[in-house]
Amino acid sequence: MGFISFKPLRLFGLKINPLVCKCVILISIILLFRSLCLSSYSVFNNNLFALDPQIHIEKIHKFLEVPQIVWGLNNQKIAFARACLTARALNRTLLMPSLSSSLFYKEIDLLKPVSFDKIFQFEKFNSLCEGFVRLGRYSEISNTTDVIPMQKGSGRKWTVQIDSDQLREFSKNPYNEYEVIRIIGKNPFLWHDHWPVKDYSKIFECLVLNENISREADKVISKIQEIGISQPYVAVHMRIEKDWMIHCKKLEQRLNVSEICSSKEEIIQRVGNIIGLKAPIFVYVAIADDLLEDSSIMSGWKEGFFPFDKKKLGVFDIYKKHSYLVQSAIDYEVCLRSDVFVGNSFSTFSSLVVLDRTRKMMEMGVDDLCGVGLKWPSYAYNIEGLFKGPRQWATNMSDLSLQAVSYGSTHVTCR
């Protein structure tokens, strides 16, 4: 068999072997394709929105204004984080927004605005998030007329790509020349998500409850420890309220899954089957009492389990003097500090509790977030785990978006 011979080509007076030429062309095509893929990927990974590391957010004197943030506490926390990250993408300071103390998110005229610093610590936020994002006050604006509106779209026509393009457009002149960009349109919770979980986690880490609310949470936890004689306690975010049951059944139909809704009996049974719990076990049941139609949540628990809600614990007076938003904030803190947490993976409240607990375990140097004998294990009672108990749950901190946390998922990292 003879060998194939290649006649050398000449380019700029130099002899080039055709085989070498083909290899160079092939490598060039691969590099070009890789470059295009990375460029496309970065749109969703926020690389295009990354700030120059030399820029310090504190020194930015241009602002982003967002509409009043609405819905439940944890949806509002996500909306606030999304507003912060939008401001970061635009290289601006976020003007301190109004939250909503009311749950009536559909009746706009019934919403009761509450200042951010009535729920969370303003100065503490800026201290913890220094150099990453910054909150500003309206008194910092030098020209109240130097404002340009930024219309946020909605519906199927407003895609992630269109939203990304809009952010890049408004980060440049002539839009960037205005002192204030004012976002108008749907509330921020419905904005598209361009940022990884770790960026959201950083914002949540900077959200420290107002000292008055934190002291109320301390009172509830002290009461738990007093009755439980300092025994470890389990917090169960029991979602069986009438509004949730309507929502979750519709969600199951739309997604064609059966692991979202859980009855009181199923929750109690699965909590009772958690491996490693030793009686006596104190159980704090976190539930929205005003929306509860089943008054029998204290009955049917496994022997050795002692359930308490706000009324049975004797702390209902602490809750009832506050708005729904503050009540939820207190319950969140009680669940966050529990020794064992059990919630629903399609609940924003439960999902953010698990995210915070996962972050704390990682800060402690825990490598196996799904191991045995963890300091702060979490479980999803709506998904069956080992020995008919709830599935162990940890947030995937490497996720490129907050989709699983914002809207729920049956993929809870632990198997």
Side-chain angles (χ1 to χ4, degrees), residues 149-404:
M150 178 181 180
Q151 176 72 51
K152 276 287 179 184
S154 62
R156 294 180 181 179
K157 291 183 179 180
W158 192 265
T159 63
V160 172
Q161 184 63 54
I162 292 175
D163 198 74
S164 300
D165 291 342
Q166 184 194 51
L167 288 179
R168 283 194 296 272
E169 182 182 10
F170 272 75
S171 66
K172 302 172 184 178
N173 291 333
Y175 307 103
N176 194 44
E177 294 177 352
Y178 289 86
E179 185 177 6
V180 178
I181 292 177
R182 176 180 294 148
I183 290 183
I184 57 176
K186 288 280 188 177
N187 72 76
F189 180 63
L190 297 180
W191 296 352
H192 287 289
D193 181 20
H194 308 287
W195 299 280
V197 169
K198 62 181 180 62
D199 284 358
Y200 280 98
S201 180
K202 175 62 178 177
I203 304 294
F204 298 143
E205 184 181 356
C206 301
L207 285 173
V208 179
L209 281 178
N210 177 291
E211 291 178 351
N212 293 329
I213 300 175
S214 184
R215 280 194 289 268
E216 297 286 63
D218 289 341
K219 292 177 187 176
V220 176
I221 293 171
S222 294
K223 191 69 173 178
I224 291 174
Q225 293 172 340
E226 176 187 327
I227 294 178
I229 317 176
S230 299
Q231 289 290 325
Y233 74 94
V234 178
V236 180
H237 182 221
M238 187 177 280
R239 297 265 21 208
I240 57 171
E241 306 94 337
K242 56 185 178 184
D243 67 321
W244 169 259
M245 297 309 291
I246 293 171
H247 166 72
C248 75
K249 289 183 185 301
K250 289 181 178 178
L251 200 58
E252 283 188 338
Q253 291 175 355
R254 187 166 73 248
L255 299 179
N256 195 28
V257 297
S258 59
E259 293 182 308
I260 300 177
C261 302
S262 290
S263 66
K264 180 198 74 173
E265 291 75 20
E266 183 178 67
I267 296 170
I268 290 174
Q269 180 186 38
R270 287 184 175 171
V271 171
N273 291 332
I274 294 176
I275 301 170
L277 291 183
K278 297 180 180 179
I281 299 161
F282 182 97
V283 181
Y284 176 72
V285 180
I287 197 163
D289 304 78
D290 293 341
L291 300 171
L292 182 64
E293 291 184 326
D294 186 350
S295 59
S296 64
I297 60 171
M298 295 296 104
S299 62
W301 290 80
K302 188 176 180 179
E303 185 178 356
F305 284 71
F306 298 92
F308 287 80
D309 61 1
K310 301 174 184 65
K311 293 178 181 177
K312 188 175 178 181
L313 189 60
V315 295
F316 188 68
D317 287 344
I318 294 176
Y319 284 86
K320 72 178 183 180
K321 64 183 179 182
H322 295 294
S323 67
Y324 176 85
L325 190 71
V326 174
Q327 290 182 28
S328 183
I330 295 172
D331 257 356
Y332 186 91
E333 196 67 17
V334 175
C335 290
L336 180 64
R337 296 195 223 168
S338 65
D339 298 280
V340 178
F341 173 71
V342 193
N344 189 299
S345 67
F346 279 81
S347 161
T348 310
F349 181 106
S350 295
S351 295
L352 288 192
V353 168
V354 174
L355 188 153
D356 274 341
R357 290 167 70 90
T358 301
R359 174 179 54 79
K360 287 188 176 184
M361 285 194 291
M362 292 177 70
E363 289 174 351
M364 291 174 59
V366 177
D367 294 323
D368 185 3
L369 299 172
C370 303
V372 178
L374 293 176
K375 182 175 176 60
W376 290 308
S378 300
Y379 298 86
Y381 58 66
N382 58 304
I383 308 172
E384 187 174 354
L386 296 174
F387 303 105
K388 295 186 177 181
R391 177 76 58 80
Q392 197 168 356
W393 185 6
T395 303
N396 181 3
M397 301 299 278
S398 298
D399 266 351
L400 298 179
S401 81
L402 203 67
Q403 177 75 20

Side-chain angles (χ1 to χ4, degrees), residues 22-32:
K22 289 180 180 180
C23 289
V24 170
I25 293 172
L26 181 61
I27 292 171
S28 299
I29 292 172
I30 292 172
L31 290 174
L32 177 61

Side-chain angles (χ1 to χ4, degrees), residues 12-64:
F12 302 117
L14 299 175
K15 290 183 179 181
I16 300 177
N17 190 300
L19 181 60
V20 174
C21 186
K22 289 180 180 180
C23 289
V24 170
I25 293 172
L26 181 61
I27 292 171
S28 299
I29 292 172
I30 292 172
L31 290 174
L32 177 61
F33 181 76
R34 180 176 179 274
S35 176
L36 290 172
C37 287
L38 288 175
S39 176
S40 174
Y41 168 78
S42 67
V43 171
F44 302 97
N45 196 33
N46 197 33
N47 291 342
L48 293 180
F49 301 139
L51 288 175
D52 183 336
Q54 301 302 317
I55 296 176
H56 206 53
I57 296 289
E58 280 190 334
K59 299 177 181 178
I60 296 174
H61 297 291
K62 291 183 179 179
F63 305 93
L64 178 73

